[in-house]
Amino acid sequence: MKKTLKRLPKARVDTSHPISFTFEERAYRGFVGDTLASALLANGVAIVGRSFKLHRPRGLLAAGREEPNALVQLESSALTEPNARATLVPLYEGLHASGQNAWPSVRHDVFSPLAWCKRFLPASFYYKTLMWPSWRNWEWLIRRLAGLGRAPTEADPQYYIKQNVHADVVVVGAGRSGLKAALDAATHPENRVLLIDEQEELGGSLLGSPTDADRRWLSQSLEELAALPNVTVLSRTTVNGYYDGNVLAALERVTNHLGPTTGYSVRERLWRIYAGRVVLATGAIERPIVFPHNDRPGVMLASAAREYTHRYGLTLGESIVFYCNNDTGYHVALDMTRAGIPVSAIVDIRGDVDASLSAAAEDAGIRLYQRCAITQTHGRRSLRRVKIKQLSPEGDRLIGESSILDCDLLAMSGGWTPTVHLHSQAGGTLTYRENDACFVPDTARQSVRSVGRAAGDLTVPLNLRPQWLTPDVSPEHQWVDFQYDVTASDIQLAARENFVSVEHMKRYTTNGMSIDQGKTSNMNGLGVLATSSCRSIPEVGTTRFRPPYHPGSLGAYAGLELGTLFEPYRHLPAHEEHKSAGARFEDYGRWKRPAYYPQSGEQEESAIAREALAVRRSVGLLDYSSLGKIEVRGPHAREFLNRVYLNNVQTLKPGAARYALMLNESGIVKDDGIVICLAEDLFLLHTTSAGSSSVYQHLEECLQCEWPDLEVLLSHRTTQWSTMMLSGPNARSVLQSLDCDIDISRDKFSHMQYREGHILGQRCRILRASFTGEVSFEISVGASRGVSLWRELKSAGKPYGIVPFGIESLMLLRTEKGYLHIGQDTDGTTMPQDLGWAGAITRKPTDFIGRRSLELDVGKDGGRLQFTGIELLDRQGRISSGAHVLTEDGRRSAGYVTSAYHSPNLDKPVALGIVAGARARRGETVTVIYRGQRQVARLVAPCFLDPEGKKLDD
């Protein structure tokens, strides 16, 4: 076990309550109040991780959410958690953690020699070097090396929930400014105030303050908050997103801090927060300084040194050097000397330092090296010494001889970056402040206000002199992004190769794309890019700040919506009847529906063929209850539907039905179905099963947003009716054998007609429509009567050899007929003219949704993907959905097969597809390829059986 470092007095850890934990299979001890990071430092652990690309050793850089190096794997089995920041993991008894991206350990990593290859692995090297002879030759290796941490392979035994909350004032951040804002807002009793902070304790940077005055003020403020009935506090909660309408998303760690064996069920809670006003007190993040080998273990931010010293009571080293370009380094160094911590020197880039600070440092025995830069660090596994050199008065070159300073900790401060992420997500703008070299909030689009350091109020003048990289030394090893191994030379390379857009540079170099999302690297990256491209930082701009601000577990976003609750499926009213009949169920449009009904020992293809033959030769029975059923009622119902559908609904008479297409505003086919006129002011829409909900929502949006003046009422009736379809030459005979008061004779009830009446004493609706090409009757009764109707129809059909058939058999039958299936035979670009509906467009005299888009040139292109039949020349061949139709030169795809089956009725393969210019190419021979196998086929009309439709008139 490593030697435990001495704890200082006044630390916020309870040394009377030790905690045992393991890291990298070694046992250590910490105390209540420690984080994993502070406990590792206390035990002298220098290397806590490895960088992503080069596997360089990494030590702790920060003390909070901005930490890029100390990413650990927590626990094992189902409760394992990858990419946890050691700085945010509170210590609990029995905690088990290990490093990531290293084998066998972060201290001894077999991949560490990659660091020697830095020169040969510059930014985006893989785009340039892994293309020959083929990417596939390298893909296996890249995939083995890529990724951080290990995802759990077992089901998570704990739960994640979601919760909504409304508040008049939401304060994000509970440091000094956040606490003041919450107390001010709470003075108005009518305000519901929600205070959110991501730490275990409220207080922000005050938790690491060395002064008694700050500690007293914090204690007093927390007591006042606790006494206010209109204030709710959420600790261990990170606000990750800010959205339109002053809506915020926050992730609360409910039991993470208690370990995996607590017995609690809820692990994390995702909050959706509806705010009246928002106050952002999110603080600021200290920036590193870019200099050679600044990534070595033992190099740390000055703010982190302050936190570990005064909050956790650690003596971080025996010889500490500070490196700064602003006053922060002096203040932290002086605080540490007052606490008895040995600070040997301050290296300052500036030459014009406040005289009082310099005098105070010298009085404390600290050596000052002003107008100097660190040009190298040394130490095999941790820092041992640094090399410094004088800077010219302009700061653009090095002069004089080098000096060596022995040290075991280097605390650096390169300035401060206000945490503007949420302000930007809310639609706020930023402005660049030259004297602090940082972006601060400017205008706000929503009801949001930034305060304290988040607003750029850095309390004391920084007297900052930015230095984006160290001059006159190689930029090859001057690190900008510590996690992804991005150096100043990588950004300079991006600029030379004209990736001068900040977004392009980000993706070319991966700067700011690591798990910390650029919290410590973005501003330095902007500075290097600006310098390299001879621009100012405002000209370079910033990358877009996107949610989430801080990584969250996928379980929290999923909540309870897992497994069967992810997308709850629905059962048909006669589900148990199908189950007892041996149906094989599959998910179709959120319904569990029979795919086919295999008999004993029967394979899927044989069962589907048997059912399809029965429908063509006699009669089949299909449970069609999932069919969308939307009633449209009102004096303007006809006008409304005429605007929604491509077809002319004005001429539709009561008792008649019409197949219709629905388009979106871009002219793309959205859904199809049958419009039935029940009365002059009442219509029934039979939509696709999968599209019923989306069509209903689309219609509601049209009524509420586009045409609120229309008097129309919509009713979603899908689950209120059970529908059974009889289909086949003997369908009429089966129906006539039942007690029904509707005349279903051929002369009285023709195709695409609708009737209402009673069957077996029950109210019913009957529609003559067909998706099989055979005489079909869709009989609808109340949902509770569906089971009895199914049984009666099966019983009445026994003399005719009635066969229940499933969706797969239905798909085969409709493919034989060439009937379109929206979503399968169409894609996200299909327009009605691609389906042969150009005439219907010109015939309709009135406007409808999508009409103007159909007039665009793109829709008139004869080379568009068009609906077609595809016929193999080899009748014994096999064709599969997804097969591609090749261009004439055989080098590219000209379209693909969307539906394909072997027809038992025609004894040959039949297929539908969408192919470029198919209508003009009808009869043309083409090559079809699937999984490397080529076959010869012909483009034909999309109908293989009864093209005249004579069967529908029987």
Side-chain angles (χ1 to χ4, degrees):
M1 181 180 292
K2 293 284 185 180
K3 179 183 178 182
T4 302
L5 300 180
K6 178 184 176 182
R7 298 293 179 122
L8 299 173
K10 298 185 179 180
R12 302 183 75 91
V13 293
D14 185 354
T15 54
S16 65
H17 287 83
I19 294 177
S20 299
F21 71 100
T22 62
F23 178 71
E24 295 275 294
E25 304 304 329
R26 292 188 178 187
Y28 298 100
R29 189 183 69 171
F31 300 104
V32 170
D34 265 326
T35 63
L36 175 59
S38 65
L40 289 174
L41 282 174
N43 285 276
V45 178
I47 301 176
V48 295
R50 290 276 172 170
S51 63
F52 175 70
K53 186 166 73 173
L54 301 178
H55 288 252
R56 288 174 63 91
R58 291 286 188 258
L60 281 155
L61 178 76
R65 61 191 180 276
E66 68 273 22
E67 172 59 43
N69 295 336
L71 306 176
V72 299
Q73 185 95 25
L74 290 178
E75 306 307 334
S76 60
S77 189
L79 287 170
T80 189
E81 180 183 344
N83 300 321
R85 281 180 176 80
T87 54
L88 299 181
V89 177
L91 210 61
Y92 53 81
E93 184 63 38
L95 181 149
H96 178 81
S98 59
Q100 299 182 160
N101 199 44
W103 187 84
S105 69
V106 293
R107 184 173 174 82
H108 303 284
D109 183 10
V110 297
F111 295 103
S112 59
L114 283 172
W116 305 339
C117 305
K118 171 70 174 68
R119 170 177 290 184
F120 307 104
L121 302 174
S124 296
F125 73 94
Y126 34 83
Y127 293 134
K128 304 172 183 177
T129 59
L130 303 183
M131 296 298 102
W132 184 90
S134 170
W135 162 252
R136 292 183 180 179
N137 291 22
W138 304 94
E139 184 177 8
W140 67 274
L141 176 62
I142 297 300
R143 289 193 181 279
R144 285 182 66 88
L145 294 176
L148 292 172
R150 302 181 306 276
T153 57
E154 302 175 27
D156 195 329
Q158 295 185 311
Y159 294 96
Y160 303 80
I161 63 174
K162 301 177 183 179
Q163 191 165 337
N164 296 342
V165 64
H166 293 257
D168 299 297
V169 180
V170 175
V171 180
V172 183
R176 188 190 301 272
S177 299
L179 291 173
K180 286 182 177 180
L183 288 169
D184 288 345
T187 58
H188 303 279
E190 70 277 9
N191 281 342
R192 294 170 297 174
V193 179
L194 181 62
L195 176 61
I196 305 174
D197 193 79
E198 65 184 359
Q199 297 199 65
E200 299 292 306
E201 299 180 74
L202 304 186
S205 62
L206 292 176
L207 296 173
S209 174
T211 67
D212 292 334
D214 283 344
R215 294 169 184 262
R216 286 194 300 270
W217 185 90
L218 175 59
S219 178
Q220 180 182 349
S221 298
L222 294 180
E223 289 178 4
E224 291 180 24
L225 278 175
L228 294 170
N230 59 334
V231 176
T232 301
V233 176
L234 289 179
S235 60
R236 296 191 303 277
T237 304
T238 302
V239 176
N240 271 337
Y242 200 136
Y243 305 94
D244 288 345
N246 254 26
V247 177
L248 297 90
L251 184 60
E252 179 187 7
R253 300 177 295 280
V254 181
T255 61
N256 306 50
H257 61 298
L258 300 176
T261 58
T262 62
Y264 287 82
S265 58
V266 178
R267 185 170 179 82
E268 294 180 352
R269 180 184 288 111
L270 182 66
W271 290 91
R272 185 186 288 113
I273 303 168
Y274 298 88
R277 293 184 289 116
V278 176
V279 179
L280 299 178
T282 48
I285 297 171
E286 193 169 26
R287 295 196 293 264
I289 300 177
V290 180
F291 59 94
H293 293 277
N294 56 341
D295 66 326
R296 198 178 302 278
V299 179
M300 181 182 292
L301 294 174
S303 57
R306 176 183 186 267
E307 184 95 351
Y308 289 123
T309 299
H310 301 298
R311 179 175 178 181
Y312 300 105
L314 301 181
T315 301
L316 297 173
E318 297 178 357
S319 179
I320 301 174
V321 170
F322 277 78
Y323 184 31
C324 60
N325 64 356
N326 66 88
D327 291 350
T328 300
Y330 289 80
H331 293 296
V332 177
L334 291 170
D335 284 343
M336 292 180 74
T337 58
R338 295 186 193 106
I341 307 298
V343 177
S344 61
I346 296 177
V347 180
D348 197 333
I349 290 170
R350 304 168 300 168
D352 52 344
V353 182
D354 183 88
S356 61
L357 281 179
S358 297
E362 291 175 342
D363 291 343
I366 302 173
R367 290 172 291 163
L368 300 182
Y369 297 87
Q370 295 177 351
R371 197 184 293 149
C372 290
I374 293 180
T375 59
Q376 185 59 279
T377 65
H378 297 277
R380 184 167 176 265
R381 295 191 180 276
S382 62
L383 188 66
R384 290 291 177 263
R385 65 188 63 87
V386 297
K387 182 187 292 186
I388 66 172
K389 201 168 186 180
Q390 194 77 30
L391 282 166
S392 66
E394 297 79 16
D396 58 350
R397 57 193 176 88
L398 298 172
I399 57 177
E401 299 296 324
S402 298
S403 301
I404 298 294
L405 298 179
D406 291 332
C407 62
D408 51 9
L409 177 71
L410 178 64
M412 57 181 170
S413 177
W416 292 85
T417 302
T419 308
V420 297
H421 301 66
L422 295 177
H423 170 85
S424 299
Q425 290 177 22
T429 61
L430 304 174
T431 185
Y432 186 71
R433 200 163 67 188
E434 289 285 351
N435 60 324
D436 296 322
C438 65
F439 284 94
V440 296
D442 189 13
T443 62
R445 195 180 68 187
Q446 302 196 59
S447 182
V448 57
R449 178 171 62 97
S450 296
V451 297
R453 289 190 171 190
D457 180 7
L458 302 177
T459 308
V460 295
L462 292 182
N463 299 317
L464 177 69
R465 178 175 179 175
Q467 177 176 289
W468 303 118
L469 74 165
T470 303
D472 284 354
V473 290
S474 171
E476 189 74 25
H477 292 90
Q478 299 191 42
W479 259 259
V480 178
D481 189 310
F482 295 92
Q483 182 59 51
Y484 270 11
D485 282 312
V486 180
T487 62
S489 63
D490 293 322
I491 298 174
Q492 290 175 340
L493 175 63
R496 288 198 302 272
E497 299 196 357
N498 205 34
F499 290 93
V500 292
S501 162
V502 65
E503 296 287 1
H504 291 164
M505 179 276 287
K506 174 181 177 179
R507 286 153 183 82
Y508 185 81
T509 65
T510 68
N511 184 66
M513 294 179 65
S514 53
I515 292 174
D516 74 323
Q517 285 292 287
K519 291 180 177 65
T520 58
S521 63
N522 270 354
M523 279 306 301
N524 285 331
L526 296 179
V528 176
L529 180 61
T531 303
S532 303
S533 57
C534 300
R535 293 179 292 169
S536 66
I537 288 182
E539 289 174 323
V540 171
T542 64
T543 56
R544 182 177 293 276
F545 296 96
R546 298 179 176 89
Y549 165 68
H550 184 81
S553 62
L554 295 178
Y557 292 98
L560 298 176
E561 297 156 3
L562 301 170
T564 56
L565 295 178
F566 173 66
E567 190 176 51
Y569 56 79
R570 291 169 284 190
H571 283 162
L572 300 170
H575 178 81
E576 293 302 320
E577 291 292 313
H578 304 308
K579 190 175 180 180
S580 62
R584 294 292 186 270
F585 292 94
E586 291 185 13
D587 296 340
Y588 297 95
R590 299 184 183 179
W591 291 83
K592 283 287 184 183
R593 302 176 67 183
Y596 55 97
Y597 298 80
Q599 296 179 350
S600 178
E602 192 174 35
Q603 298 299 312
E604 177 180 354
E605 189 171 351
S606 300
I608 293 171
R610 173 180 54 79
E611 294 170 12
L613 284 169
V615 174
R616 292 278 183 236
R617 295 173 181 176
S618 182
V619 63
L621 177 60
L622 174 75
D623 192 334
Y624 227 179
S625 299
S626 63
L627 191 71
K629 308 170 192 73
I630 301 173
E631 289 185 5
V632 183
R633 183 190 302 268
H636 299 139
R638 188 182 295 271
E639 172 62 24
F640 172 62
L641 292 177
N642 207 50
R643 299 180 187 181
V644 168
Y645 282 102
L646 179 153
N647 305 69
N648 191 351
V649 182
Q650 295 285 11
T651 58
L652 192 62
K653 304 298 182 184
R658 183 167 295 164
Y659 177 78
L661 286 181
M662 181 181 292
L663 315 181
N664 64 21
E665 292 180 349
S666 300
I668 306 301
V669 176
K670 180 181 179 68
D671 197 73
D672 67 347
I674 295 177
V675 180
I676 308 164
C677 183
L678 308 185
E680 285 296 336
D681 62 348
L682 179 60
F683 293 82
L684 175 63
L685 311 183
H686 276 189
T687 72
T688 59
S689 298
S692 61
S693 295
S694 62
V695 168
Y696 179 78
Q697 292 167 3
H698 173 65
L699 298 178
E700 280 284 11
E701 182 178 3
C702 290
L703 283 175
Q704 295 181 33
C705 302
E706 303 299 331
W707 307 303
D709 55 315
L710 296 183
E711 297 182 34
V712 177
L713 179 65
L714 302 177
S715 299
H716 204 327
R717 304 288 191 182
T718 299
T719 57
Q720 296 179 16
W721 292 86
S722 181
T723 302
M724 306 298 169
M725 182 175 75
L726 285 170
S727 185
N730 290 319
R732 180 178 287 107
S733 299
V734 173
L735 192 54
Q736 285 177 329
S737 68
L738 296 175
D739 179 16
C740 181
D741 59 8
I742 300 174
D743 187 347
I744 61 170
S745 62
R746 176 179 176 182
D747 295 337
K748 299 295 185 180
F749 201 167
S750 59
H751 182 59
M752 297 304 284
Q753 294 290 307
Y754 167 87
R755 299 289 184 269
E756 291 187 7
H758 294 81
I759 185 171
L760 301 170
Q762 305 170 27
R763 181 191 172 199
C764 71
R765 293 172 165 179
I766 301 180
L767 172 68
R768 265 210 63 187
S770 179
F771 202 45
T772 65
E774 302 290 336
V775 172
S776 300
F777 295 89
E778 297 178 9
I779 310 152
S780 298
V781 296
S784 62
R785 305 289 184 176
V787 174
S788 60
L789 178 61
W790 175 266
R791 291 172 179 170
E792 293 292 343
L793 290 174
K794 281 187 66 176
S795 177
K798 283 183 179 179
Y800 303 94
I802 193 169
V803 169
F805 66 102
I807 299 301
E808 291 303 315
S809 306
L810 178 66
M811 292 296 103
L812 188 156
L813 294 166
R814 68 97 190 166
T815 301
E816 291 177 336
K817 279 293 296 178
Y819 288 155
L820 178 73
H821 187 201
I822 301 296
Q824 181 165 327
D825 298 317
T826 62
D827 63 11
T829 66
T830 302
M831 290 181 166
Q833 55 265 43
D834 303 328
L835 308 174
W837 277 59
I841 299 171
T842 58
R843 286 194 298 270
K844 185 169 181 179
T846 56
D847 198 8
F848 56 88
I849 293 177
R851 178 159 203 159
R852 281 165 288 182
S853 297
L854 301 179
E855 299 300 321
L856 297 174
D857 291 340
V858 65
K860 299 177 181 179
D861 183 1
R864 291 176 58 81
L865 295 178
Q866 297 172 349
F867 186 53
T868 183
I870 302 173
E871 182 180 62
L872 286 185
L873 299 190
D874 180 6
R875 292 179 64 96
Q876 302 306 313
R878 305 283 294 184
I879 189 169
S880 300
S881 297
H884 281 266
V885 177
L886 298 180
T887 55
E888 188 175 355
D889 60 9
R891 300 178 63 182
R892 300 185 309 279
S893 173
Y896 57 94
V897 176
T898 56
S899 302
Y901 295 90
H902 182 83
S903 168
N905 297 291
L906 300 172
D907 192 26
K908 68 174 184 178
V910 293
L912 303 173
I914 48 177
V915 178
R919 286 201 303 277
R921 300 170 59 190
R922 191 161 291 172
E924 182 180 317
T925 301
V926 296
T927 299
V928 176
I929 186 171
Y930 184 74
R931 294 184 176 178
Q933 299 296 317
R934 298 184 179 228
Q935 299 182 84
V936 181
R938 182 183 295 113
L939 301 181
V940 297
C943 184
F944 301 92
L945 187 148
D946 187 26
E948 296 84 11
K950 293 181 179 179
K951 290 190 174 187
L952 294 176
D953 295 329
D954 289 345

